Amino acid sequence: MANPRNITSLAALRESLSGVETLYVVDYQGLTAGQIGKLRKELREKGCQLIVAKNTLVRLALKDGGHDFADVLHGPSAVVLADKDPAGAAKVLADTAKGNDKGIPAAKAGLLNGVKIDANTVTKIASLGTLQDQRAQLVGVLAGHMSNFVGILEAYKEKLEQSA
């Protein structure tokens, strides 16, 4: 007979993971309670969530969603739900890992828009910057092109006026 606490935990985990398209599985072994608390706070500020649960329960909950992470769910694992800001969550994880000599939390794998990714891809996502940074870069690029376009139109207008 299954442990009632595990059944409750699995139900809560299934609910948390239902509909999630982006998440990261990380190794958190070696972080102190204070460091984990700080990491949770930083992730919450990005609209993300850190879930620590038994690997068996995480594997079952992810398998119910059609994702197989059995190959990476060994040792202490945590799941970071990052639908709102995938790059921001990956950056928080990378910055926390750089902040200690053990390099933890270390990414094991992830799910990006429903597609399984490896640890190297999670690291690359961290280098992108936050969603807000990416939006600012896009606005800058668009503004530059619009400015050039207006300059071309003004020059063409002057050319037409001179020839008329």
Side-chain angles (χ1 to χ4, degrees):
M1 181 171 189
N3 183 338
R5 187 173 46 159
N6 284 347
I7 292 171
T8 305
S9 297
L10 180 58
L13 197 54
R14 282 179 177 149
E15 184 179 331
S16 295
L17 294 176
S18 68
V20 172
E21 292 292 318
T22 303
L23 60 85
Y24 305 118
V25 177
V26 297
D27 178 3
Y28 69 94
Q29 185 176 18
L31 290 178
T32 65
Q35 290 171 322
I36 291 174
K38 182 181 176 193
L39 178 61
R40 283 182 194 270
K41 180 182 178 208
E42 290 175 2
L43 287 169
R44 264 194 313 270
E45 290 171 358
K46 299 285 183 192
C48 304
Q49 181 183 4
L50 177 74
I51 298 174
V52 176
K54 292 181 179 181
N55 286 340
T56 304
L57 299 178
V58 172
R59 182 179 47 78
L60 289 171
L62 288 172
K63 194 171 187 177
D64 289 346
H67 307 291
D68 183 19
F69 280 82
D71 57 329
V72 295
L73 287 170
H74 303 288
S77 300
V79 178
V80 177
L81 307 180
D83 269 346
K84 293 184 180 174
D85 189 2
K91 182 149 180 61
V92 167
L93 293 170
D95 289 346
T96 302
K98 287 178 190 172
N100 62 58
D101 56 344
K102 298 175 186 172
I104 47 177
K108 294 182 176 184
L111 192 67
L112 182 64
N113 295 326
V115 178
K116 188 174 178 182
I117 56 174
D118 62 0
N120 292 331
T121 307
V122 175
T123 305
K124 289 176 186 174
I125 292 169
S127 68
L128 294 176
T130 65
L131 185 60
Q132 187 175 0
D133 293 342
Q134 292 174 14
R135 286 179 178 159
Q137 288 175 353
L138 177 62
V139 168
V141 168
L142 292 175
H145 287 297
M146 283 191 262
S147 176
N148 289 341
F149 183 65
V150 168
I152 291 168
L153 290 177
E154 287 292 326
Y156 189 69
K157 176 185 167 193
E158 287 177 16
K159 182 179 175 184
L160 288 175
E161 288 174 352
Q162 288 176 358
S163 65

